[in-house]
Amino acid sequence: MRLLLIRHGQTPSNVEGILDADYPGPGLTALGATQAEAVPSALAHESISGLHVSRLLRTHETAAPMAAALGMSPRLTQGLEEISAGDFEMRRDEDAVEAYQDNQARWSGGDLTGGLPGGETGEQFWARYTGALRHIAGLYAEDATVAVVSHGAAIRVFASVVGELGAATRHDRPLFNTGMVTLTGHPDQGWTLEDWVSEPIGGGHLLGSIEHDITADQDAEAAV
């Protein structure tokens, strides 16, 4: 199957650089809604058989325009949520953000042991994320293309590991809001990295706004 892993649109916590991974999480900003509205036309060339979202509100709001364009309802799939920030939840200070990024880098390099204080371990993240994708794969034909709206750190770590890309933080391997990673394969047979689009798939002009230019948006990648 082809898996389109799409990061959600911009949220207020992204703008503020806050580690905000818990349920239900924030909705989209005005820019985030514009990013979401641009997704259907960007993917108009794809024959999408299904659309899946995490439990968090921002993925539902991001998927809504695509769902309307496709004439299908997004399927809530538990396990697609963002990597837990643990004791650093709702913090934006340098120590917390660096700890979150260092943990991402270690996991994306393939060392899934341990995790953040009060958060999930790498093994727990891997089990629930791959479990969600295995559930999704079981719903479709082997040649189906499925869109999944998920979260920046989760997508980065998962795709880095299966693509054998090595350790990376947001600076090394950015995935801006509504950026997309495309994988082909199956949870039980392995994945091949087909493409990694760091910028919003609706166009690079959606990286920023009058209030938040590209530099500010890069800083916002500290949030989840």
Side-chain angles (χ1 to χ4, degrees):
M1 70 183 302
R2 292 180 72 244
L3 194 63
L4 311 179
L5 292 173
I6 305 164
R7 187 186 176 195
H8 60 80
Q10 187 194 71
T11 71
S13 292
N14 290 150
V15 176
E16 297 297 328
I18 298 170
L19 297 172
D20 189 356
D22 278 355
Y23 175 83
L28 302 182
T29 63
L31 174 59
T34 300
Q35 291 168 336
E37 290 287 349
V39 170
S41 60
L43 298 182
H45 63 288
E46 298 280 3
S47 297
I48 296 174
S49 299
L51 176 59
H52 292 255
V53 294
S54 79
R55 295 171 59 244
L56 303 185
L57 175 62
R58 52 192 179 271
T59 64
H60 293 247
E61 293 187 353
T62 301
M66 184 164 34
L70 294 172
M72 64 175 63
S73 297
R75 297 190 183 194
L76 190 158
T77 305
Q78 191 163 346
L80 296 174
E81 290 74 33
E82 183 57 292
I83 293 171
S84 170
D87 294 347
F88 299 118
E89 180 71 14
M90 299 309 295
R91 285 174 54 177
R92 57 179 295 184
D93 56 280
E94 184 176 354
D95 287 346
V97 171
E98 284 190 1
Y100 193 81
Q101 291 300 318
D102 289 347
N103 188 65
Q104 265 189 74
R106 185 164 54 82
W107 287 2
S108 63
D111 180 2
L112 296 172
T113 59
L116 295 173
E120 62 192 333
T121 67
E123 292 95 338
Q124 288 170 330
F125 160 71
W126 196 257
R128 54 104 167 162
Y129 208 82
T130 57
L133 296 182
R134 184 171 291 104
H135 170 75
I136 291 170
L139 300 174
Y140 302 97
E142 291 185 2
D143 60 349
T145 295
V146 180
V148 173
V149 183
S150 186
H151 303 268
I155 295 172
R156 183 181 294 108
V157 168
F158 180 77
S160 293
V161 173
V162 299
E164 299 182 342
L165 301 180
T169 67
R170 71 186 189 277
H171 299 299
D172 306 315
R173 197 168 298 134
L175 187 67
F176 296 106
N177 296 110
T178 64
M180 184 176 78
V181 174
T182 303
L183 301 173
T184 58
H186 187 277
D188 296 326
Q189 300 163 8
W191 298 97
T192 298
L193 180 65
E194 180 180 307
D195 199 11
W196 187 303
V197 180
S198 294
E199 295 187 354
I201 57 175
H205 65 287
L206 295 174
L207 272 171
S209 65
I210 295 175
E211 294 82 12
H212 302 284
D213 60 25
I214 292 175
T215 301
D217 212 55
Q218 288 172 333
D219 291 340
E221 279 279 309
V224 293

